[in-house]
Amino acid sequence: SDVCSSDHAVSRQDPPCPGVQMQTPITGASEGGVLNPEAMFQGQPLTGRSFEPGSRSYWHCHGGGQYIVVMEGMGRVQKRGERSRDLQVGDIEFAGPGVEHWHGASPTEAARYINQGLAIGGGSGTYWLEEVTEDDYLGNDIGINSRNRHLESR
């Protein structure tokens, strides 16, 4: 499931990126709290998120970082300043504290992830930014033009 810290923990830190805390914004169809029976902890399956083909989160960052593991299908991820890339089953993606990124499914195949927020350096919380553009999603941009357009519209 998406990991968000308590309001108390978040209030003790400066936001690690210029986002806001809110419900998980998604382009397309996605479901949180999805069980991953292939990954167990203390006898219970880990939870995660599923994305339908073409679906993805908005740009965001985590105060303490996050890792995801693709458990089924083909994922797609991008960190700000890099091109999007596809992930296969078993691939692990890590975004350190404050690293702006997004994740979802490929255009043609659904994906199911384990996703876990971390508390590296005492950080916590998820901070949401702008929607991922088609150019970013399709690998034609590195997330800079979408950020500039977002900032201009504020």
Side-chain angles (χ1 to χ4, degrees):
S1 66
D2 289 326
V3 176
C4 292
S5 65
S6 70
D7 290 336
H8 176 70
V10 171
S11 66
R12 293 183 298 182
Q13 71 178 23
D14 291 329
C17 65
V20 296
Q21 292 189 302
M22 67 172 111
Q23 289 283 80
T24 305
I26 299 290
T27 299
S30 177
E31 181 180 350
V34 174
L35 298 179
N36 288 279
E38 310 90 341
M40 304 291 283
F41 178 72
Q42 296 182 344
Q44 298 296 315
L46 296 177
T47 60
R49 181 167 285 280
S50 65
F51 291 89
E52 293 300 314
S55 300
R56 64 263 191 193
S57 70
Y58 279 36
W59 284 100
H60 62 285
C61 76
H62 302 272
Q66 180 191 44
Y67 74 85
I68 62 171
V69 182
V70 177
M71 301 304 291
E72 182 178 24
M74 183 179 296
R76 183 165 283 193
V77 298
Q78 184 178 20
K79 292 177 185 169
R80 186 87 66 189
E82 300 176 5
R83 297 222 183 266
S84 66
R85 59 192 179 81
D86 290 335
L87 299 179
Q88 307 293 324
V89 171
D91 287 348
I92 300 170
E93 177 72 4
F94 172 74
V99 173
E100 296 176 17
H101 66 284
W102 61 264
H103 34 87
S106 79
T108 59
E109 193 172 339
R112 180 169 46 87
Y113 293 93
I114 293 171
N115 55 312
Q116 183 63 56
L118 304 170
I120 296 170
S124 62
T126 303
Y127 298 83
W128 295 98
L129 300 154
E130 76 273 12
E131 187 171 13
V132 174
T133 64
E134 283 296 306
D135 281 342
D136 289 335
Y137 181 71
L138 296 174
N140 299 326
D141 199 4
I142 59 171
I144 304 304
N145 290 329
S146 62
R147 167 49 61 84
N148 289 339
R149 283 192 296 276
H150 174 70
L151 293 174
E152 289 169 3
S153 69
R154 294 178 113 187

